[in-house]
Amino acid sequence: MTEFKPLVFSGVQPTGNLHLGNYLGAIRKFVALQENNDCIYCVVDMHALTAQLVHEDMATQIRSITAAFLAAGIDPEKHIVFNQSQVPQHAELAWIFNCVARIGWMNRMTQFKDKAGKDREQASLGLYAYPSLMAADILVYRATHVPVGDDQKQHLELARDIAMKFNMDFHDKIVPTGLGIDIKVGEEPVHAYFPMVEPLIDGPAPRVMSLKDGTKKMSKSDPSDLSRINLMDDQDAISKKIRKAKTDPDALPSEVDGLKGRPEADNLVGIFAALADRSKEDVLIEFGGQQFSVFKPALIDLAVNVLAPINAEMRRLMEDPGHIDAVLRDGSARARVRAEKTMNEVRDIIGFVR
Ligand code: TYM
């Protein structure tokens, strides 16, 4: 059975400050994956228009995410780092996917429901179609693996549904042109043009929670800055936020089972484990039986050690926007070549004259 060549793709929106959730759920995994994979990392600026059209600081935000990628350790020469709007093939494939995806599928997207809120009539059409553009981001490179936080899981399932329907609906066109590849879907061998993307959500912190409420996701939009650690926070801010983080009065358990029903403790242990590249089990072997008065200072030290160099490098890079723009232009040019190859094949499969 032929398989798709493994290719990693992921994206981050240039909206608001990056926080520890983005770093542990996504960017830190991006860095680790480049060791053994071909990777494409994208600043998804067109997605940023879906919730709010006008952004006074769009360019700065795009550069800041790019700076975070580079400062965290992504190599833009070995891999590809670019911004979505410089590769128009994403939008072109998204249109085709808008015609593949069914309205019933889109209506099930919980993130649309959350983001649109009560006044759904006032949400943009782009917000509704957002997951279709996200599927196009990935599939325009026929990427196979997508590192993301847990909140993107449903969107990746939709990307699989879109890929599957395209493969099935155009099956008669794919097979004779030989453009597809044999893959296994469950037990079934299928001749497919698009791969079934695999989400990479594992690790000890797939969903980093608010420091103020362990039942709420850490998010850019939380009105309280104390709820999150921003990648641009300095040492004092990191230390203050962890000291003030909500906890319960008990000591840490010695086993992971003991974290059940203790969302704040679970969150802080998960953050520690992810920052130290250890498992939660391993962290609890060290800290089980200890009070938060012991654990929190250790977490502060660790967080500062990991984040301070990234923070400093981001600031340094942000002083040279010309360099960042050159990285994005170079990455975009390389991405366009790959995306255009896919689009030519998609145009042929569909039967567009070119
Ligand atoms: P975005 O920009 O909201 O978030 C970027 C990445 O950070 C992860 N993340 C978290 N992980 C753990 N805990 C948290 N509290 C947390 N908050 C955010 C997100 O899961 C994400 O991986 N739709 C995407 C961007 C996107 C994309 C793509 C991703 C567009 N096209 C194609 C992958 C592939 C988004 O809004 O992420």
Side-chain angles (χ1 to χ4, degrees):
M1 173 121 349
T2 338
E3 286 293 342
F4 281 88
K5 199 167 156 265
L7 174 64
V8 173
F9 180 95
S10 197
V12 176
Q13 287 197 65
T15 45
N17 290 334
L18 282 176
H19 53 71
L20 191 63
N22 301 125
Y23 177 64
L24 295 179
I27 298 172
R28 195 171 165 89
K29 294 190 207 155
F30 299 178
V31 177
L33 282 161
Q34 48 174 2
E35 194 71 29
N36 296 315
N37 299 278
D38 185 11
C39 303
I40 305 181
Y41 296 127
C42 182
V43 182
V44 288
D45 47 12
M46 293 199 299
H47 273 106
L49 305 184
T50 58
Q52 178 192 326
L53 180 59
V54 181
H55 297 253
E56 301 305 340
D57 59 347
M58 177 65 95
T60 309
Q61 290 284 347
I62 294 169
R63 292 181 186 124
S64 151
I65 306 289
T66 313
F69 284 176
L70 304 183
I74 292 168
D75 182 340
E77 286 174 12
K78 286 207 188 102
H79 303 276
I80 293 182
V81 172
F82 75 106
N83 58 317
Q84 191 184 30
S85 60
Q86 293 203 61
V87 185
Q89 288 84 353
H90 289 233
E92 188 181 355
L93 186 59
W95 176 257
I96 290 163
F97 286 174
N98 285 346
C99 302
V100 174
R102 306 288 96 182
I103 286 180
W105 301 359
M106 308 313 275
N107 284 343
R108 284 197 285 275
M109 294 296 115
T110 56
Q111 209 163 73
F112 173 72
K113 291 181 202 166
D114 291 348
K115 286 196 180 165
K118 289 207 175 65
D119 199 0
R120 211 179 281 186
E121 299 280 308
Q122 281 306 314
S124 74
L125 185 54
L127 189 67
Y128 193 57
Y130 175 118
S132 167
L133 177 59
M134 180 163 160
D137 296 338
I138 302 163
L139 294 173
V140 82
Y141 304 100
R142 301 212 277 171
T144 55
H145 292 82
V146 184
V148 281
D150 173 73
D151 60 342
Q152 297 300 318
K153 197 169 171 182
Q154 194 184 32
H155 290 158
L156 293 183
E157 279 160 14
L158 184 91
R160 292 169 67 104
D161 289 343
I162 289 176
M164 186 62 134
K165 183 163 164 60
F166 183 97
N167 289 339
M168 294 300 184
D169 289 358
F170 288 104
H171 187 255
D172 291 350
K173 308 284 187 301
I174 297 168
V175 173
T177 42
L179 290 170
I181 291 177
D182 294 328
I183 61 166
K184 250 189 165 171
V185 178
E187 285 308 298
E188 284 293 300
V190 175
H191 194 68
Y193 182 71
F194 289 117
M196 297 290 109
V197 294
E198 290 287 339
L200 302 174
I201 305 183
D202 48 344
R207 192 178 185 84
V208 177
M209 307 308 272
S210 155
L211 299 180
K212 293 272 109 197
D213 177 353
T215 63
K216 268 174 44 189
K217 193 178 73 168
M218 183 178 284
S219 115
K220 297 168 186 177
S221 53
D222 194 313
S224 165
D225 195 52
L226 285 176
S227 69
R228 65 183 159 260
I229 293 174
N230 302 304
L231 279 197
M232 288 304 252
D233 280 346
D234 62 20
Q235 201 160 329
D236 288 346
I238 295 174
S239 164
K240 176 172 144 204
K241 288 175 180 180
I242 296 178
R243 263 190 285 112
K244 286 184 174 271
K246 186 176 170 201
T247 49
D248 54 41
D250 296 336
L252 283 170
S254 316
E255 280 164 21
V256 174
D257 255 5
L259 292 170
K260 280 206 187 107
R262 299 180 62 187
E264 285 83 18
D266 190 14
N267 190 36
L268 294 183
V269 171
I271 290 173
F272 192 107
L275 284 169
D277 290 325
R278 289 164 65 179
S279 64
K280 288 203 237 179
E281 286 81 358
D282 193 37
V283 173
L284 290 178
I285 290 172
E286 183 180 344
F287 289 98
Q290 303 274 16
Q291 296 295 334
F292 283 102
S293 55
V294 175
F295 182 68
K296 277 187 172 178
L299 180 57
I300 291 171
D301 276 355
L302 174 61
V304 167
N305 273 335
V306 174
L307 300 178
I310 299 177
N311 181 313
E313 180 63 2
M314 270 179 82
R315 286 176 200 278
R316 193 187 69 78
L317 288 164
M318 287 299 282
E319 275 168 24
D320 188 358
H323 169 68
I324 296 183
D325 295 1
V327 166
L328 291 174
R329 260 196 313 276
D330 171 67
S332 299
R334 284 151 60 214
R336 259 191 318 267
V337 172
R338 296 199 191 192
E340 183 58 5
K341 177 171 183 292
T342 302
M343 283 318 298
N344 273 331
E345 293 176 355
V346 167
R347 291 174 196 126
D348 287 348
I349 289 169
I350 292 178
F352 287 154
V353 175
R354 65 181 178 98

